[in-house]
Amino acid sequence: MKATGFSIGELSKRSGVNIETIRYYEKIGVMPAPGRSAGGYRLYGADHLKRLSFVRRSRQLGFSLDEIRGLLRLVDGDAYTCAEVQALTLNHLAEIRRKITDLKRLKRVMAEMAAQCSGERAPECAVIDVLFDARPPSSEPQGVNRGRRGGGRRKAP
């Protein structure tokens, strides 16, 4: 009996997922191992394409590979409920909200750091000084005079 299916290159084209990524997904168990041709080449079918599309779309929505594994376990078990999928989705949504809060804070801090920069050529730079500051980061940028690069000294104003 002749094995039917399409190559990994064709799966990549149809799904928009890089060949190496497909191999990685197989290695970590997100994608099932494909059948093989008589010559040992991977042969993929419509189910592989459908699953890979699910993984690709989930990644686009920011789901981690662990979250995707959880969703796929539910689907593969064929006994999932919408409530279980909703719980995973709500957990992911909470993480997105945390990231948005962090990104807003980061945006504010970076804008304030950049505003301290004169833009002139000088041996001292407020942004570089803040980045060299060894103290743990806070939600506010460090003052211009607080950081020291390489033990250098500040010039008096």
Side-chain angles (χ1 to χ4, degrees):
M1 181 175 157
K2 183 181 175 199
T4 59
F6 45 91
S7 70
I8 194 168
E10 184 63 24
L11 179 64
S12 176
K13 286 178 191 171
R14 290 183 185 194
S15 68
V17 176
N18 182 288
I19 290 172
E20 291 304 315
T21 303
I22 295 169
R23 288 184 182 133
Y24 175 70
Y25 288 163
E26 288 174 20
K27 182 179 175 183
I28 64 170
V30 172
M31 288 290 294
R36 298 279 180 160
S37 70
Y41 292 101
R42 292 173 169 94
L43 292 175
Y44 298 90
D47 287 344
H48 288 100
L49 178 59
K50 185 176 179 180
R51 188 176 186 102
L52 187 56
S53 296
F54 176 92
V55 173
R56 180 183 47 82
R57 183 66 180 137
S58 298
R59 294 293 286 157
Q60 288 173 338
L61 292 172
F63 283 96
S64 70
L65 287 173
D66 284 339
E67 290 169 325
I68 294 169
R69 275 191 200 98
L71 288 168
L72 288 171
R73 271 192 297 273
L74 293 174
V75 170
D76 291 343
D78 229 7
Y80 66 94
T81 66
C82 199
E84 290 170 311
V85 174
Q86 181 187 36
L88 285 170
T89 303
L90 290 174
N91 286 338
H92 182 63
L93 180 59
E95 181 62 25
I96 290 170
R97 287 182 173 138
R98 280 190 293 278
K99 287 179 183 180
I100 289 170
T101 299
D102 289 345
L103 287 171
K104 285 179 179 178
R105 182 174 45 250
L106 179 61
K107 177 184 168 189
R108 185 183 74 250
V109 169
M110 294 301 289
E112 290 173 7
M113 280 177 28
Q116 294 178 19
C117 211
S118 68
E120 296 177 17
R121 185 177 176 163
E124 302 294 332
C125 173
V127 174
I128 297 298
D129 286 345
V130 169
L131 294 174
F132 269 108
D133 194 340
R135 279 169 279 165
S138 68
S139 61
E140 299 300 321
Q142 304 296 322
V144 174
N145 295 320
R146 294 181 68 170
R148 297 286 186 266
R149 286 183 279 160
R153 293 185 182 187
R154 277 262 185 231
K155 294 180 182 177

